[in-house]
Amino acid sequence: MRTEFAASLERAAAGEELTREDIINLLAAAQGAEEVALYRLADSVRARVAGDEVHLRGVIEFSNYCRRHCCYCGLRADNAKLQRYRLMPEDIVAAARRGAELGYGTIVLQSGEDPWYTGPMLAEIIREIKKLGVAVTLCVGERTRDEYAMWREAGADRYLLKHETANADLYARLHPGMSWQERLRCLQWLRELGYQVGSGNIIGLPGQTLADLADDLILLRQLDVEMAGLGPFIPHPATPLGGEPAGSLDLTYRVVATARLVIPYAHLPATTAVGTLSPTGRQLALQRGANVIMPNLTPTRYRADYQIYPNKICVNEGPEDCRHCLEGMVRALGRRLGRGPGHTLKPLPVQ
Ligand code: SAM
Ligand code: SF4
Ligand code: FES
């Protein structure tokens, strides 16, 4: 083991606040003994702060219309080849009811940025879903502060808005017409409004460095997030980045494990993207710091069209299939399914 890696790992094990250099050292863990030691520490911190419960958050991808042009995403407005769909409000609520019946404590409403769903419309959908006794997470992109407030008032518990990359130049290049400052302003509003806030970044974007990834984790620590989605870049042929290589799975595992050390109390999903790059991807992520899975609840006939990247898993399955598949996966790892909403892991403030 290189001395700088060992020193940073030791500081992490002692619970010290990691510097940018420490984080870079951990992200650079070499294959073999260094990676093994990093994963072992991350798994023990996960066990201590999150226990053995794996929370399932059922995701309803209710619209693939999007007004944005993110250079990596197959839903971008410019992708004319995509068959677009919108679920009607009653179908969204029906899908959520199916999720509640399957035992999911959280329903995630995700879509492209689609203003067809007005603030009041989404508020009404949230109110209906809250009657099912589940937590509601929204993941619908950048909207006005008033809309975020209206949805919080309607009962939404959490909001997931990934910062995508902490490198402002890279952000500007990948998001024509969007601004990094605006993204952070939305995250600030969500915090002020009392949401449990999720953010996160893509790993392996063209031109991204280990220092950029360290800055991502430092930003997540500054934002004091309750959840962080950390997934590999997967190229989509109908996008400007279609010819670029996918993000590395090994690097993704190192980022997830290091995140568990930098933001120990955040929920960290084993993402669908790692499951797409490898059949054992989600299992390995769960053994390297992750504690959440986000099964698909979208009605099967729409799944293939929510193509943010190609070869996404579970497009031919139904909600019940994913539920059973994941129960088996979690059991095989010696873990158990989470009960209840699986709210924040952060310790309660001392009175
Ligand atoms: N439109 C909303 C937004 O962007 O916040 C929510 C839905 S968007 C499809 C959810 C996430 O998909 C984004 O935050 C982005 O990180 C991820 N994503 C999109 N295209 C991707 C790709 N090609 N590879 C990996 N992740 C991707
Ligand atoms: Fe739209 Fe979100 Fe995809 Fe960007 S990442 S194009 S906002 S769906
Ligand atoms: Fe969908 Fe395994 S999670 S089939």
Side-chain angles (χ1 to χ4, degrees):
M1 235 184 257
R2 292 162 304 138
T3 47
E4 66 272 22
F5 173 83
S8 296
L9 194 72
E10 200 168 306
R11 283 167 48 70
E16 289 175 39
E17 177 155 308
L18 298 178
T19 63
R20 185 171 190 256
E21 206 180 332
D22 284 327
I23 297 172
I24 294 173
N25 288 338
L26 296 179
L27 292 176
Q31 265 189 346
E34 293 186 357
E35 277 187 349
V36 169
L38 174 66
Y39 297 152
R40 194 170 293 155
L41 181 60
D43 197 44
S44 73
V45 173
R46 183 275 308 157
R48 179 164 55 77
V49 302
D52 280 343
E53 288 197 327
V54 176
H55 290 284
L56 303 186
R57 326 281 207 199
V59 185
I60 305 170
E61 300 154 336
F62 65 90
S63 164
N64 69 353
Y65 280 85
C66 189
R67 60 178 169 175
R68 301 293 192 183
H69 313 273
C70 308
C71 291
Y72 42 79
C73 180
L75 306 194
R76 65 203 306 269
D78 324 62
N79 183 5
K81 290 190 198 131
L82 190 67
Q83 174 84 28
R84 306 277 171 173
Y85 71 87
R86 286 187 178 110
L87 261 67
M88 292 303 109
E90 57 274 22
D91 297 327
I92 300 175
V93 176
R97 188 168 300 114
R98 196 74 208 95
E101 286 162 5
L102 290 172
Y104 298 155
T106 298
I107 300 298
V108 183
L109 299 180
Q110 194 186 95
S111 68
E113 276 199 25
D114 185 1
W116 185 85
Y117 298 86
T118 62
M121 233 166 122
L122 267 179
E124 189 49 34
I125 293 167
I126 293 162
R127 271 192 288 274
E128 286 301 312
I129 295 178
K130 285 302 287 182
K131 290 181 190 162
L132 303 169
V134 291
V136 171
T137 301
L138 300 176
C139 180
V140 301
E142 296 182 21
R143 301 282 291 242
T144 65
R145 193 182 197 282
D146 285 349
E147 287 173 312
Y148 289 156
M150 188 186 300
W151 300 335
R152 178 83 185 109
E153 187 104 328
D157 301 274
R158 313 187 192 123
Y159 204 105
L160 173 56
L161 185 72
K162 289 167 72 175
H163 66 271
E164 314 294 3
T165 172
N167 177 330
D169 291 337
L170 186 58
Y171 187 95
R173 268 181 274 139
L174 296 179
H175 301 93
M178 294 173 83
S179 116
W180 195 74
Q181 280 72 21
E182 188 60 33
R183 197 77 170 172
L184 289 194
R185 197 157 69 134
C186 287
L187 285 163
Q188 181 61 36
W189 287 339
L190 294 165
R191 175 60 76 207
E192 289 163 9
L193 291 165
Y195 283 93
Q196 293 172 49
V197 176
S199 194
N201 58 280
I202 305 181
I203 297 152
L205 288 166
Q208 191 182 42
T209 64
L210 280 192
D212 290 334
L213 291 167
D215 289 339
D216 284 320
L217 296 184
I218 290 168
L219 178 61
L220 292 168
R221 182 166 67 191
Q222 285 164 353
L223 292 169
D224 198 19
V225 291
E226 275 81 23
M227 185 273 205
L230 307 165
F233 163 65
I234 303 179
H236 188 300
T239 65
L241 302 186
E244 300 288 340
S248 141
L249 258 180
D250 286 331
L251 177 58
T252 302
Y253 298 135
R254 296 201 298 271
V255 172
V256 171
T258 306
R260 179 56 73 202
L261 307 178
V262 177
I263 44 171
Y265 292 101
H267 286 294
L268 299 178
T271 60
T272 303
V274 289
T276 296
L277 289 185
S278 159
T280 55
R282 289 179 298 179
Q283 289 91 322
L284 288 174
L286 285 174
Q287 293 175 303
R288 296 168 174 181
N291 71 313
V292 167
I293 299 193
M294 299 172 74
N296 199 329
L297 258 183
T298 311
T300 312
R301 69 178 183 282
Y302 299 117
R303 288 187 179 195
D305 292 325
Y306 199 81
Q307 203 195 63
I308 56 186
Y309 45 73
N311 305 318
K312 203 160 143 241
I313 50 172
C314 305
V315 291
N316 298 316
E317 280 76 13
E320 292 72 18
D321 302 318
C322 293
R323 171 70 175 74
H324 292 130
C325 164
L326 293 176
E327 181 160 6
M329 181 192 294
V330 167
R331 287 227 176 112
L333 293 173
R335 309 265 279 275
R336 57 178 190 277
L337 292 183
R339 288 170 190 235
H343 282 312
T344 178
L345 292 171
K346 287 182 191 166
L348 290 169
V350 182
Q351 296 292 325

